[in-house]
Amino acid sequence: MNYDYPFSTRAENAVNKRIRNTLKKYPYIVIEKDDRIIGYAYAGTFINRAAYDYSADVSIYVDNDDHGHGAGRLLYESIGSALKDMNITNLYTCIGVPAEREDEYLTFNSMNFHKHMGYDLVGRFKKCGYKFNRWYDMVWMEKIIGQHISDPPSVRKYGQIMAAIDR
């Protein structure tokens, strides 16, 4: 897959760079509908120390107009499968949530979606994010996708998985 789209703005170039950097080790999965990107999911380093190589930080985005039609589930199932094939065992995601009550910018929908996808709430940081002239909380959620065994196989790069499939 080639994600080198001819971007023209600085923000689009930053996204293109993030995709290239992610694909050096982790999956970056895009879902399209009617020739437009409606969502994506990607993984990255959870904590940059060798002891945490078996864990990955996962992010997902689905366009608001396409919520509730299965794109999020498809993205998470696809990225979870790829990460499991890489020998990743733990998935983590960080989600912004309202500090007190839902508002026009932020709801609990993402947190509830992750619960539905098998993630458990493992931590909450109070009023640590500030945007739209208000404070927001952040929650950490976790999903175990592999067995924690003694002497586990090495974590593989996503490119190794894809190369094996292409043979």
Side-chain angles (χ1 to χ4, degrees):
M1 291 181 247
N2 181 3
Y3 297 109
D4 265 343
Y5 298 114
F7 294 125
S8 59
T9 69
R10 185 178 303 169
E12 290 170 330
N13 285 328
V15 170
N16 196 22
K17 182 178 179 182
R18 183 178 67 207
I19 292 169
R20 279 194 311 272
N21 286 336
T22 297
L23 287 170
K24 289 177 183 176
K25 182 173 180 181
Y26 295 101
Y28 197 115
I29 299 171
V30 174
I31 190 166
E32 295 178 294
K33 177 178 158 186
D34 300 325
D35 292 327
R36 74 179 177 89
I37 295 173
I38 63 166
Y40 56 87
Y42 63 94
T45 302
F46 172 60
I47 293 177
N48 195 17
R49 291 190 177 88
Y52 302 101
D53 281 352
Y54 294 91
S55 299
D57 183 12
V58 180
S59 295
I60 185 171
Y61 169 81
V62 175
D63 188 276
N64 283 336
D65 294 338
D66 290 287
H67 285 187
H69 300 288
R73 173 179 290 282
L74 180 60
L75 285 166
Y76 256 131
E77 288 173 351
S78 298
I79 202 160
S81 178
L83 291 166
K84 190 169 186 172
D85 287 346
M86 292 171 58
N87 299 321
I88 299 290
T89 58
N90 296 29
L91 304 183
Y92 294 95
T93 191
C94 175
I95 303 167
V97 296
E100 296 164 10
R101 62 186 175 280
E102 294 185 357
D103 60 39
E104 67 271 27
Y105 303 110
L106 201 54
T107 66
F108 292 101
N109 291 349
S110 183
M111 186 173 83
N112 293 334
F113 169 75
H114 283 82
K115 284 181 186 176
H116 182 72
M117 293 302 299
Y119 281 76
D120 294 314
L121 180 66
V122 293
R124 185 176 190 127
F125 298 90
K126 302 286 187 170
K127 297 183 179 181
C128 63
Y130 186 79
K131 60 183 180 179
F132 309 120
N133 295 316
R134 60 194 75 172
W135 289 98
Y136 290 102
D137 289 358
M138 178 187 72
V139 296
W140 273 103
M141 299 185 80
E142 172 186 60
K143 182 176 183 180
I144 306 300
I145 62 168
Q147 294 183 341
H148 297 93
I149 59 174
S150 296
D151 197 26
S154 297
V155 172
R156 298 170 14 176
K157 292 182 178 180
Y158 182 62
Q160 293 171 306
I161 305 297
M162 296 308 293
I165 291 171
D166 288 341
R167 288 186 201 174

